[in-house]
Amino acid sequence: MGKEKVVLAYSGGLDTSIIIPWLKENYDNLDIIACCVNVGQDDDMDFVQKKALSSGASKVYIENVVNEFVEEYVYKGIKANAAYEGKYLLGTAYARPLIAKKLVEVAHKESANYIAHGCTGKGNDQVRLETAIAALDPAIKIIAPWRIWDIGSREEAIDYAQAKNIDLNGITKERIYSRDQNILHISHEGGMLENPGNEPDFEELLLMTSTVEKAPDLAEYVEIEFEKGIPVKLNGKKLNGENMLKALNTIGGTHGIGVIDLLENRLVGMKSRGIYETPGGTILLEAHKYLESFVLEKDAAHFKDMISQKYAELVYNAMWFSGLKNAFDAFIDSTQKNVTGKVKLKLYKGTIKFAGMVSDYALYNESISSFSTGDLYDQKDATGFIHLYSLPFKIQALNEMNNHTSEVIYSFKE
């Protein structure tokens, strides 16, 4: 009887690098197939492939899905204005369901019954990956080494890797940050960040973004054009999702845009601290919000604000493939039919300032909104409106006055 197959979500980082030899030691009858899903991480894929094979994988898949990631995942979040706890732009959370989808596709192609991953037992990603896999193929079994092996820390993982002669590509016990990178963001966790009393050393940490101190002293303007909520042109040039985000990452990174220090509430019930760099995504989100303020009617805009918060929570909480999230997508898409126009932004030392916008669908009308009297708005009409609008408050005040008078009279008679 031939060996069973396991598809390993492989990045070439510390965790997944040691999983291949560990699986070979602990599972005699498993053929290990490494699958690296490229969502825009800054890795040498030839090096990753060779490393997986030299570590003991029998086959390696490199799945390039960068543009799909941007256009089918990130752009849905931009249309939703999604930011978890008001700050985190969900870079990791968007990537995990797409990675799971590709892992399942490879498992089906290889007739593999198992998928393995390097997520720790304390993180959100184990839930995101496994929930997505279950939604796509509930028959696939999961192997999660961090939940079952004796390795208890990243320091011990480094010791194990060194014992197995695995190239750690610069990771040491002194430079021990856990990082996740894709075209939308880089997250940094662990090391000195685990103590909230420590100020981050941004000079050492940041990879995509300049520090504010080193950002240029001269501001830069960008113009983003949207069609139905989707960014389609940058400074007049038409770009697909991948090239749009790459270009904005370079521009935003130069000006120190999109760096946050977040103490967040994890899905698994604890608080954690992370530094997130999301330069291009931050610019797109701000531009989109400005344009929506221009074209959405008041009640739709206010209700969408509530949906945005819930949408971010659903994505963060591993519910990408849920019916509720799909229903939100349908609502959000219906709000985007007029979110078409151009937005100009001014970038300067970590800040984004509004610098103008135009749209054929604008609900702002200068002749109405200005202080001058125009044909569409007669200021005398406000008298009747205020009378009707304030009527409930007048009735309430009269009732309170009458009740107070009655109490005084009653007390006097006694």
Side-chain angles (χ1 to χ4, degrees), residues 3-232:
K3 287 185 175 182
E4 289 195 279
K5 295 179 179 181
V6 57
V7 176
L8 169 64
Y10 188 79
S11 68
L14 173 61
D15 298 333
T16 58
S17 293
I18 65 176
I19 285 175
I20 292 179
W22 184 86
L23 287 172
K24 293 179 75 68
E25 283 181 357
N26 291 274
Y27 293 84
D28 295 332
N29 198 38
L30 275 185
D31 183 19
I32 303 167
I33 298 163
C35 179
C36 179
V37 183
N38 179 12
V39 285
Q41 58 268 41
D42 187 19
D43 291 333
D44 181 341
M45 292 303 161
D46 289 336
F47 174 79
V48 169
Q49 184 173 25
K50 290 174 183 176
K51 183 175 180 180
L53 291 170
S54 65
S55 301
S58 64
K59 186 184 288 189
V60 181
Y61 283 82
I62 304 293
E63 300 289 313
N64 187 350
V65 295
V66 182
N67 194 59
E68 180 182 356
F69 173 56
V70 177
E71 295 191 356
E72 300 299 326
Y73 291 76
V74 176
Y75 280 0
K76 286 183 184 293
I78 295 296
K79 288 191 291 185
N81 297 330
Y84 181 68
E85 297 189 332
K87 290 186 177 181
Y88 171 43
L89 301 193
L90 301 161
T92 303
Y94 290 135
R96 293 302 176 256
L98 177 55
I99 292 171
K101 176 185 170 186
K102 294 301 170 182
L103 292 172
V104 170
E105 288 176 2
V106 171
H108 288 167
K109 186 174 182 178
E110 292 288 339
S111 300
N113 294 321
Y114 297 90
I115 289 177
H117 62 74
C119 305
T120 73
K122 286 186 175 182
N124 300 313
D125 284 345
Q126 58 182 336
V127 188
R128 292 170 183 153
L129 277 177
E130 294 182 35
T131 301
I133 290 166
L136 297 167
D137 186 348
I140 290 177
K141 302 178 184 68
I142 302 294
I143 299 175
W146 269 104
R147 301 204 296 255
I148 53 180
W149 62 19
D150 294 329
I151 298 171
S153 67
R154 288 180 65 79
E155 288 83 0
E156 291 179 14
I158 289 173
D159 290 337
Y160 183 90
Q162 290 172 340
K164 299 296 180 181
N165 296 315
I166 293 172
D167 185 355
L168 291 177
N169 198 25
I171 297 173
T172 67
K173 291 182 181 180
E174 289 73 37
R175 298 176 62 87
I176 203 166
Y177 297 114
S178 175
R179 288 185 167 104
D180 176 79
Q181 180 181 15
N182 57 51
I183 193 172
L184 179 59
H185 87 158
I186 299 179
S187 66
H188 311 262
E189 294 179 332
M192 58 87 71
L193 297 175
E194 291 183 346
N195 182 352
N198 291 332
E199 179 183 5
D201 183 352
F202 287 118
E203 287 282 352
E204 179 189 33
L205 274 172
L206 299 181
L207 300 178
M208 292 175 75
T209 319
S210 296
T211 61
V212 173
E213 291 81 3
K214 289 189 174 181
D217 292 329
L218 188 65
E220 182 172 354
Y221 290 86
V222 293
E223 182 185 81
I224 301 168
E225 183 172 343
F226 290 84
E227 289 182 6
K228 296 184 177 180
I230 298 293
V232 293

Side-chain angles (χ1 to χ4, degrees), residues 44 47 49 154 165 214 217 231 263 265 267-268 281-282 307 318-319 321 329 334 349 370 383 395 406 408:
D44 181 341
F47 174 79
Q49 184 173 25
R154 288 180 65 79
N165 296 315
K214 289 189 174 181
D217 292 329
L263 193 65
N265 290 292
L267 169 59
V268 292
T282 302
I307 296 297
M319 296 179 69
F321 293 111
D329 279 329
S334 74
K349 289 193 175 294
S370 72
T383 302
I395 294 172
S406 298
V408 171

